[in-house]
Amino acid sequence: MEPAVHFVGFRGDEYMSAVRVFGRPDFIHRRWDQRARREIANCDTLVFAVGTADDEPSRYNGNDLDEPAYR
């Protein structure tokens, strides 16, 4: 399994700052929810706009965006 980069909760200009540091994400999760939590593998990198993986996931699942692979 190849590691993936997940961006969580990005809504604005901070997205481009994160791309400069971590590269383009493989997945964009609109919020930290149970669905996003299930899709994370141990080898993946998570980048949060606000908060951490230790935060309580949202009770409501949001839809996700898939970024095409540019690597």
Side-chain angles (χ1 to χ4, degrees):
M1 177 184 300
E2 194 168 320
V5 176
H6 300 259
F7 282 8
V8 181
F10 285 84
R11 297 186 183 274
D13 295 334
E14 72 272 9
Y15 174 85
M16 289 311 297
S17 296
V19 168
R20 282 194 283 280
V21 174
F22 296 97
R24 290 190 174 269
D26 297 300
F27 301 96
I28 299 172
H29 306 281
R30 295 182 189 261
R31 64 173 63 144
W32 185 233
D33 55 24
Q34 292 295 338
R35 184 171 156 211
R37 198 176 195 180
R38 282 191 305 268
E39 293 177 357
I40 307 300
N42 289 337
C43 61
D44 291 350
T45 300
L46 286 93
V47 181
F48 287 81
V50 175
T52 71
D54 294 329
D55 293 345
E56 187 69 28
S58 172
R59 290 179 18 180
Y60 305 101
N61 288 334
N63 60 339
D64 299 336
L65 302 170
D66 291 329
E67 280 288 309
Y70 290 102
R71 297 177 190 200

